[in-house]
């Protein structure tokens, strides 16, 4: 398994992957940046950098996350949430096909191993509140603001 850590506006992102795909992307503040980037992770790192620069809305990466079949189905559903939009946990459960599975869907959402690429940050509470984000609510808010910048009003 190859690994690289890069600086992002939200902390150090660590990417793990091999020829089968990207297995994990996580962020924290304690990891050190990598001095060398394995070639197999170059595309993932480039796409993350483009996202943070506002130049990428969709990721085109081969993914290979570890999880149960149920979790993987939920993570695939998360990838259907368009850039700059949000859905509630209830809407996500309905889109998944079972409104009653809201707790299981929310749990799978919280175990998403592919930070940003599988956009679990786009899932909010039914009342519009920012709830539950493994990376911290400050990061969730930052990501949603990046994807939905305020519109500059004209002075004239």
């Amino acid at each position: 398994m190859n690994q690289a850590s890069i600086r992002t506006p939200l902390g150090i992102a660590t990417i793990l992957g091999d020829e089968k795909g990207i297995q994990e992307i996580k962020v924290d503040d304690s990891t050190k940046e990598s001095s060398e980037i394995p070639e197999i992770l170059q595309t993932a790192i480039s796409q993350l950098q483009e996202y943070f620069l506002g130049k990428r809305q969709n990721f085109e990466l081969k993914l290979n996350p570890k999880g149960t079949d149920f979790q993987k189905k939920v993570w695939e559903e998360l990838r259907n949430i368009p850039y700059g939009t949000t859905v509630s946990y209830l809407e996500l459960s309905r889109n998944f096909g079972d409104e009653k599975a809201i707790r299981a869907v929310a749990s799978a959402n919280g175990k998403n191993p592919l930070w940003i690429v599988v956009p679990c940050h786009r899932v909010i509470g039914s009342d519009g509140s920012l709830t539950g984000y493994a990376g911290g609510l400050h990061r969730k808010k930052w990501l949603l603001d990046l994807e939905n910048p305020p519109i500059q009003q004209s002075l004239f």
Side-chain angles (χ1 to χ4, degrees), residues 40-147:
I40 202 148
L41 301 178
Q42 296 270 347
T43 300
I45 288 170
S46 293
Q47 289 188 21
L48 279 170
Q49 291 169 332
E50 290 168 1
Y51 171 85
F52 283 114
L53 291 171
K55 296 179 178 179
R56 174 170 293 279
Q57 295 184 0
N58 298 300
F59 291 90
E60 299 163 10
L61 299 169
K62 184 177 180 183
L63 303 178
N64 186 29
K66 297 260 187 251
T68 66
D69 288 342
F70 179 82
Q71 289 170 333
K72 289 177 182 179
K73 288 177 186 173
V74 172
W75 300 335
E76 273 304 310
E77 190 61 42
L78 289 170
R79 295 188 74 201
N80 293 327
I81 304 170
Y83 181 93
T85 64
T86 58
V87 300
S88 70
Y89 288 97
L90 182 58
E91 289 173 283
L92 181 61
S93 320
R94 287 178 181 152
N95 294 345
F96 186 71
D98 187 357
E99 183 176 308
K100 293 178 183 175
I102 188 170
R103 290 184 191 272
V105 167
S107 176
N109 184 61
K111 292 177 180 156
N112 169 25
L114 293 163
W115 182 60
I116 296 176
V117 173
V118 174
C120 59
H121 62 277
R122 296 179 188 152
V123 183
I124 60 174
S126 294
D127 62 357
S129 63
L130 301 184
T131 59
Y133 189 64
L137 292 181
H138 68 289
R139 287 188 176 109
K140 183 173 191 164
K141 181 178 182 334
W142 193 96
L143 292 167
L144 293 174
D145 288 346
L146 173 70
E147 293 183 9

Side-chain angles (χ1 to χ4, degrees), residues 2-6 33-39 41-42 45:
N2 295 280
Q3 177 176 323
S5 298
I6 61 165
E33 289 181 77
S34 299
S35 56
E36 293 184 30
I37 307 295
E39 186 175 331
L41 301 178
Q42 296 270 347
I45 288 170

